[in-house]
Amino acid sequence: MTVFKYIRLVLAPAFAVFMTLSFSPSTAFAEDPNIDIYAQLPRTQSVRVSPDGKHIAMLAPFAGDKAIFVYDLTNPDAKTVIVTPPEDSIVKAIDWASNKHVIMLARVRGSGEGKMKHYSTLFSRWVSTNIETQRSIILLDDLIKSKRYRVTYGGGYVHDLPDNEDEVLMSFTEYGGEVFQRHYRVDLDSGNERLERSMPVTTGNVVLSSNGEKVLAREDYDPRSGEYEVFFGEGIDEESVYKKRFDNSKNRTTYLSTVLNGKLLMQETEQNALTLFTIDPDTKSATPFTFEANVPDGYDYGPIFDNQTGKMIGVSYTDDRHRQVYTEEPYKSWHKKFSDALEGQNVNILSKTEDNKMVTVYAESDSNPGEYYLYEEGPGTISSLGGTYPELKASQVASTMRADFTARDGLNIPAYLTLPPGKTKADGPFPTVVMPHGGPTARDDATFDFWGQYLAAQGYAVFKPQFRGSTGFGYEHLQKGYGEFGRGMLYDTIDGVNHLVENNVINPDKICVTGASYGGYQALALPVMEPEMFKCALSVNGVSQIRDILKFEEARTGRESETIKFWQKIIGDRYDDKDLLLAQSPAENVDKIQAEIVLVHGTDDMTVPLQQSEVMAKALKKRGQSDDILLLPNDDHNLSLPISRKKLLEASDELFEKHLN
């Protein structure tokens, strides 16, 4: 049953702010934090307003998973439309394809074939639901079923075709000796398609007109030769306006973003600043692209585009929180207005109507896990649509602070430290859980994290090092991680722990480690490297045998794929660096481990397959330790199901209570 929360509060006289009709389904919990609060999925996610402003769609927990909830803004008494994902699938993203069609990206469970036959597989499918008839259909389904090969990725969502309420434009990659990307017009009610255009073999990206009817530019890249070209216009025989050759053993770093005022906007990655430039299609000359925005140096930046016009409207980056900086109206004025009204909150704009009369907003802070709002220009109000963890009081949310340190080679390493609610460093030393992030080319920030927050609520300090190779802190910091998957990244985590011990923040006799994916690898590798430091380790979907995970990636993406090039840069070569990879694999070095090890793994994980934990369990058994694996049935790499999250938190409780209290 859907439970609605009614709160009305005027926060600012100049810009009226009302908390009204919190739409997200919620459940009443006890006042004190408990495991069910943290284990449940966020109560509200991915809030989107329909283009005409008549409906709101959002993700919320439903029947042990999550579903799309669609609310009628024109009739508060109308029945809520609940759109569930296809049977035996996990919903990953939602949006509006038209005023009456909401779409979701779902991962459907299946079995692998060929080289992937020993692994679980999740197939991506786009699902359209007509909110008037409440009928759902898998888009491109007939085309997918007509193929003799297994289709893993069921097409890309290219454009919503705003002038056409019944169709969207989708891309589909077809294999027939060569690989072709084709664009199809797809009917949102039947799922049937008709061919719109075929692109050259090497086309990777196109820029379309605002109505989606015309190709303005495209980029082609051949990873075999390293040849990169950008073409202006739809023709495939015209001369390119930009050409560059990359080392084909590495990833390319130049990308087409959009077309602005008849010029191509390009972005260079692997820089310590947002590097944009334009190409004049007539002269083929490159000119640096500048804009007026107050953004600091040293972070990873990306341009923000209006998804209805394609116009660049600002930039985004993450310091300790995800920031949006707008350069164009009305976004610039909106963002300031929302930030002033929601004082002390970090505000991000999510979606808007075609007439700019309604905007959905997300806000969060140190004491607010996150809340969604709807702005309506007419009455000048911003109304709460629901929070992510509304059961938690501000006093129950642990604050996360920076805890940077210097690594043994002099490199500055950013880090985050979450202490129990109401505690400061002066209350230390604390029993501590070290929580390295996944990736490894990823990062943490200071926003609410259900796992870390739960551990802090139990009285533990949670330490998150942003070791070399982490993204978001500039290209140089990322580059320092190349080849350091099983060396420098681990040393950084150890150096951060020692720094906190020396400053009496954490108790050296009460330290455990946990993490997921690459963080799960560190949870297994750190007790190998520093047996005395870590009393226990809990690895979630973690890598234990590096050569095997590289073999899996080859089977999944191909020996010459961009994915393999990436991992060769980060880890090494499966063939040439065999001895090194064995030395860095925890499953090959269990004899050095003194910590108690707990393994947790999703049965449908296709990023790090279950076999990685099985190999580790077998190695532990040979050494006389427990070979149990806490399985998360039907879950993927991302702890997508609430039952999985609860099992994880319960396992954390049991393990850390034993070693840290």
Side-chain angles (χ1 to χ4, degrees):
M1 182 180 71
T2 301
V3 180
F4 296 101
K5 177 180 63 180
Y6 296 85
I7 304 176
R8 182 176 290 271
L9 176 65
V10 179
L11 297 182
F15 175 53
V17 183
F18 300 100
M19 305 301 184
T20 63
L21 270 179
S22 181
F23 291 110
S24 63
S26 60
T27 304
F29 289 95
E31 181 175 345
D32 293 333
N34 63 62
I35 195 169
D36 291 307
I37 292 177
Y38 299 89
Q40 182 61 270
L41 298 174
R43 315 310 181 261
T44 312
Q45 285 182 286
S46 304
V47 175
R48 299 291 186 270
V49 61
S50 62
D52 61 7
K54 294 181 179 180
H55 293 87
I56 283 282
M58 64 179 68
L59 282 176
F62 182 77
D65 195 344
K66 53 188 171 183
I68 304 175
F69 286 69
V70 181
Y71 301 95
D72 190 336
L73 296 177
T74 65
N75 180 12
D77 296 325
K79 184 179 179 181
T80 302
V81 176
I82 302 176
V83 182
T84 58
E87 185 179 358
D88 211 25
S89 70
I90 299 173
V91 57
K92 287 298 184 181
I94 66 168
D95 209 338
W96 288 96
S98 76
N99 289 315
K100 63 179 181 179
H101 295 95
V102 64
I103 61 169
M104 73 170 75
L105 177 62
R107 297 285 173 84
V108 182
R109 298 180 184 91
S111 58
E113 293 182 345
K115 293 181 179 180
M116 291 291 292
K117 66 182 179 180
H118 299 300
Y119 305 104
S120 295
T121 300
L122 294 174
F123 303 116
S124 296
R125 298 291 185 263
W126 286 99
V127 182
S128 169
T129 300
N130 186 316
I131 61 172
E132 295 176 356
T133 65
Q134 298 186 34
R135 182 173 182 266
S136 297
I137 192 76
I138 295 178
L139 301 180
L140 292 176
D141 197 35
D142 287 344
L143 179 65
I144 292 169
K145 290 178 179 177
S146 71
K147 301 305 172 185
R148 295 181 179 180
Y149 50 85
R150 187 69 64 91
V151 177
T152 302
Y153 301 102
Y157 188 79
V158 177
H159 205 283
D160 59 10
L161 302 176
D163 297 334
N164 187 333
E165 280 282 296
D166 300 314
E167 294 180 328
V168 293
L169 193 67
M170 296 185 67
S171 64
F172 188 78
T173 302
E174 303 196 49
Y175 302 86
E178 292 184 304
V179 180
F180 291 92
Q181 182 185 124
R182 293 191 167 101
H183 287 176
Y184 291 91
R185 286 180 176 268
V186 186
D187 188 280
L188 290 165
D189 287 310
S190 69
N192 295 333
E193 76 291 331
R194 56 189 176 93
L195 182 64
E196 179 74 6
R197 64 177 65 90
S198 292
M199 310 302 294
V201 175
T202 52
T203 295
N205 180 39
V206 297
V207 176
L208 299 174
S209 58
S210 59
N211 63 4
E213 300 292 343
K214 183 180 179 181
V215 173
L216 302 181
R218 77 170 198 273
E219 62 177 355
D220 290 7
Y221 176 61
D222 185 349
R224 297 176 182 175
S225 66
E227 187 76 18
Y228 174 71
E229 291 184 277
V230 180
F231 296 84
F232 187 73
E234 189 170 3
I236 62 174
D237 297 322
E238 64 200 51
E239 186 179 2
S240 64
V241 297
Y242 181 80
K243 183 182 291 186
K244 189 172 183 179
R245 184 177 293 276
F246 294 95
D247 182 343
N248 61 5
S249 67
K250 301 178 181 178
N251 301 96
R252 68 181 170 104
T253 59
T254 304
Y255 296 86
L256 170 65
S257 292
T258 191
V259 174
L260 293 178
N261 302 319
K263 296 182 179 181
L264 295 92
L265 181 66
M266 313 287 294
Q267 181 176 4
E268 282 281 353
T269 60
E270 299 191 354
Q271 305 289 331
N272 283 326
L274 177 61
T275 305
L276 298 170
F277 63 95
T278 59
I279 298 294
D280 187 315
D282 296 325
T283 65
K284 301 181 184 178
S285 59
T287 304
F289 180 79
T290 59
F291 54 89
E292 293 185 8
N294 183 22
V295 294
D297 292 330
Y299 296 99
D300 293 344
Y301 299 93
I304 307 174
F305 302 101
D306 185 306
N307 64 354
Q308 294 166 354
T309 66
K311 183 178 181 181
M312 180 177 168
I313 54 176
V315 296
S316 64
Y317 68 97
T318 300
D319 46 18
D320 294 333
R321 301 181 183 278
H322 181 70
R323 311 289 186 182
Q324 292 178 337
V325 180
Y326 287 101
T327 59
E328 301 294 327
E329 297 292 353
Y331 292 92
K332 191 174 182 179
S333 295
W334 280 344
H335 197 265
K336 184 180 186 307
K337 184 181 292 185
F338 304 152
S339 298
D340 290 345
L342 303 171
E343 186 177 0
Q345 306 289 304
N346 178 51
V347 172
N348 285 278
I349 296 173
L350 302 179
S351 68
K352 71 177 185 67
T353 56
E354 289 179 336
D355 61 8
N356 295 341
K357 300 297 184 181
M358 293 182 179
V359 182
T360 59
V361 179
Y362 177 71
E364 52 79 31
S365 68
D366 281 341
S367 58
N368 175 17
E371 188 153 4
Y372 292 87
Y373 297 89
L374 175 67
Y375 165 67
E376 297 177 84
E377 183 183 77
T381 59
I382 185 166
S383 308
S384 173
L385 298 175
T388 54
Y389 292 87
E391 303 87 356
L392 293 177
K393 296 180 179 180
S395 61
Q396 295 172 317
V397 180
S399 62
T400 297
M401 65 194 76
R402 287 292 286 262
D404 299 4
F405 60 93
T406 302
R408 63 190 66 186
D409 63 353
L411 182 66
N412 179 70
I413 305 296
Y416 294 98
L417 181 67
T418 304
L419 299 180
K423 300 295 183 180
T424 68
K425 290 182 180 179
D427 297 310
F430 296 93
T432 300
V433 179
V434 179
M435 187 181 286
H437 62 69
T441 50
R443 63 163 293 169
D444 295 306
D445 55 36
T447 57
F448 187 93
D449 158 40
F450 85 93
W451 192 0
Q453 285 283 331
Y454 178 73
L455 294 175
Q458 308 311 306
Y460 307 123
V462 180
F463 176 56
K464 299 179 179 180
Q466 308 305 291
F467 40 79
R468 66 193 68 208
S470 300
T471 56
F473 301 97
Y475 175 61
E476 291 180 5
H477 191 76
L478 170 67
Q479 192 179 37
K480 289 285 187 180
Y482 292 170
E484 299 297 331
F485 183 94
R487 293 179 295 197
M489 297 182 187
L490 298 171
Y491 293 138
D492 289 344
T493 299
I494 292 167
D495 292 345
V497 171
N498 285 329
H499 170 75
L500 293 177
V501 168
E502 291 166 4
N503 286 274
N504 203 41
V505 177
I506 67 178
N507 186 334
D509 298 321
K510 294 185 177 182
I511 303 172
C512 288
V513 58
T514 191
S517 192
Y518 176 73
Y521 166 76
Q522 282 216 5
L524 298 175
L526 287 169
V528 173
M529 189 171 283
E530 286 287 344
E532 301 290 338
M533 177 177 285
F534 300 97
K535 308 306 178 188
C536 67
L538 189 151
S539 173
V540 181
N541 300 336
V543 173
S544 69
Q545 173 50 266
I546 300 175
R547 291 190 74 233
D548 284 354
I549 194 68
L550 292 178
K551 180 181 179 181
F552 166 77
E553 288 290 2
E554 283 186 19
R556 191 166 69 97
T557 66
R559 176 78 175 103
E560 303 297 327
S561 69
E562 295 295 288
T563 301
I564 291 300
K565 292 178 185 178
F566 166 80
W567 285 120
Q568 287 174 337
K569 183 165 55 177
I570 301 295
I571 299 176
D573 188 271
R574 182 163 79 95
Y575 305 96
D576 296 340
D577 301 316
K578 176 180 177 180
D579 292 340
L580 174 66
L581 301 186
L582 288 174
Q584 295 177 356
S585 296
E588 301 293 329
N589 296 277
V590 293
D591 57 312
K592 300 176 183 178
I593 295 176
Q594 298 180 22
E596 180 179 358
I597 305 293
V598 172
L599 303 173
V600 181
H601 218 111
T603 60
D604 286 342
D605 188 342
M606 58 180 294
T607 302
V608 177
L610 175 59
Q611 284 83 345
Q612 285 289 313
S613 284
E614 291 175 338
V615 168
M616 188 68 187
K618 184 177 180 180
L620 289 170
K621 184 177 181 180
K622 285 184 178 180
R623 193 171 179 267
Q625 296 190 20
S626 171
D627 63 341
D628 290 341
I629 302 174
L630 176 59
L631 297 177
L632 307 178
N634 302 319
D635 210 343
D636 59 7
H637 190 63
N638 305 114
L639 295 170
S640 297
L641 302 178
I643 189 172
S644 297
R645 293 186 174 197
K646 186 166 185 177
K647 287 182 177 181
L648 167 64
L649 298 184
E650 289 173 340
S652 299
D653 275 347
E654 182 178 350
L655 182 66
F656 300 149
E657 174 75 21
K658 183 191 303 183
H659 294 279
L660 299 182
N661 286 338

